[in-house]
Amino acid sequence: MKIQFNLNQRMIKAVLAVMVLIGSMLLLSKKSIAQTGQIKNIVVVHGAFADGSGWKGVYNILSKKGYHVTVVQNPLTGLRDDVEATKRILDKQDGPTVLVGHSWGGVVITEAGTHPKVAALVYVAAYQPDKGENTLKWAKALPDAPEFGILPPDDRGFVYYRKEKFHAGFAADLSKAETDFMFASQQPIYGESFATPVAEAAWRIKPSYGIVATEDKSINPDTERNMYKRSNTKITEVKGSHVIFASQPEAVAKVIINAAAHK
């Protein structure tokens, strides 16, 4: 009986040792994957009053690090149109993808992010509504800054940013020459987009990262904080204007890289 007992002890110790070894290998594997950034696809959705060209700085940083970056040129003609434009790009990705949205683009990725290839979401000075909520709910949640310059819809229902306030309200930390061009090339958004409720909220089922632009004059920074806190989004605060992706591309790229590595 004593011999049998000793054998059983040795067997138990051997099994435990194997289990510990397997556990260690799994942990090392996960750590290695995170360090190498296993998600290599990044899809960016721009916001209102802009197009994808402002993301060139972030694109250059990520591309040099080996990421495959695609910028969606969403039409800004309605939430459904923008979601469909984003899904068409997501369909073309060859694996897990980090989906990034700026401003109005945050509304778009909230719904489009349910796409099976989306592994994580990054909100850059962005709206982050819940299912059944629209953008206006959050746009009017707190007072606007004096520099705020979004105009009412024109006779065709499209919304533009006021020229006199474009620099201070939209991109104060860029040069006047840069913002003059941004204003000249601005893409208006169909006003009813802001009143359209979100059908699904991807942040409820996928990891989310959020950047608060502390000097934002187009979305109240506290609104950004409140949305991100509600959703348990991992928050990074960066000093910069509403177009922080253009003025602080390194900081924005860093958050996207962290999302790709599940940090």
Side-chain angles (χ1 to χ4, degrees):
M1 293 292 291
K2 186 175 181 181
I3 293 173
Q4 182 66 36
F5 177 73
N6 288 338
L7 284 172
N8 287 343
Q9 276 192 322
R10 284 199 292 271
M11 289 177 66
I12 290 170
K13 287 180 179 179
V15 170
L16 288 173
V18 170
M19 290 175 66
V20 169
L21 179 62
I22 291 172
S24 298
M25 290 174 67
L26 287 172
L27 285 172
L28 286 171
S29 176
K30 287 181 179 179
K31 185 177 180 182
S32 176
I33 289 172
Q35 286 176 340
T36 56
Q38 76 278 22
I39 299 175
K40 287 298 182 182
N41 297 317
I42 313 294
V43 170
V44 177
V45 182
H46 66 76
F49 319 115
D51 65 9
S53 62
W55 284 84
K56 187 175 181 180
V58 174
Y59 168 87
N60 287 339
I61 293 167
L62 294 175
S63 294
K64 287 176 182 177
K65 292 181 180 294
Y67 292 92
H68 171 241
V69 184
T70 309
V71 181
V72 181
Q73 293 288 31
N74 43 309
L76 302 178
T77 50
L79 178 58
R80 302 294 171 256
D81 293 344
D82 287 359
V83 168
E84 285 306 309
T86 302
K87 286 182 175 179
R88 287 195 296 272
I89 298 301
L90 289 170
D91 287 341
K92 299 294 184 182
Q93 305 306 302
D94 62 4
T97 302
V98 175
L99 185 58
V100 183
H102 170 250
S103 192
W104 160 256
V107 184
V108 179
I109 71 169
T110 294
E111 188 162 316
T114 58
H115 192 286
K117 288 184 180 177
V118 175
L121 305 161
V122 177
Y123 292 83
V124 181
Y127 288 111
Q128 191 191 52
D130 199 355
K131 179 179 179 179
E133 294 179 349
N134 61 30
T135 311
L136 285 175
K137 169 187 169 74
W138 289 99
K140 298 302 180 185
L142 292 173
D144 295 327
E147 297 88 347
F148 180 83
I150 296 178
L151 292 164
D154 66 9
D155 57 351
R156 295 192 178 187
F158 282 87
V159 177
Y160 291 78
Y161 213 98
R162 189 185 301 276
K163 183 176 183 179
E164 294 78 11
K165 293 193 173 185
F166 193 87
H167 182 247
F170 199 68
D173 50 358
L174 295 179
S175 70
K176 186 66 164 50
E178 288 175 294
T179 54
D180 283 348
F181 176 77
M182 290 179 74
F183 174 80
S185 61
Q186 75 166 290
Q187 298 298 303
I189 184 168
Y190 191 53
E192 288 187 12
S193 304
F194 298 140
T196 305
V198 171
E200 300 292 339
W203 53 259
R204 286 194 166 274
I205 57 173
K206 299 186 180 182
S208 298
Y209 299 73
I211 297 175
V212 174
T214 62
E215 308 304 308
D216 200 332
K217 305 302 180 184
S218 290
I219 302 177
N220 191 312
D222 282 335
T223 296
E224 295 169 20
R225 294 183 184 102
N226 292 341
M227 289 185 291
Y228 300 162
K229 287 176 183 177
R230 175 184 69 164
S231 61
N232 200 31
T233 290
K234 185 173 183 179
I235 300 172
T236 301
E237 299 214 359
V238 180
K239 186 176 181 180
S241 72
H242 187 59
V243 293
I244 199 160
F245 58 90
S247 63
Q248 300 286 347
E250 295 87 0
V252 172
K254 182 178 179 180
V255 173
I256 295 171
I257 290 168
N258 286 342
H262 301 295
K263 289 184 179 179

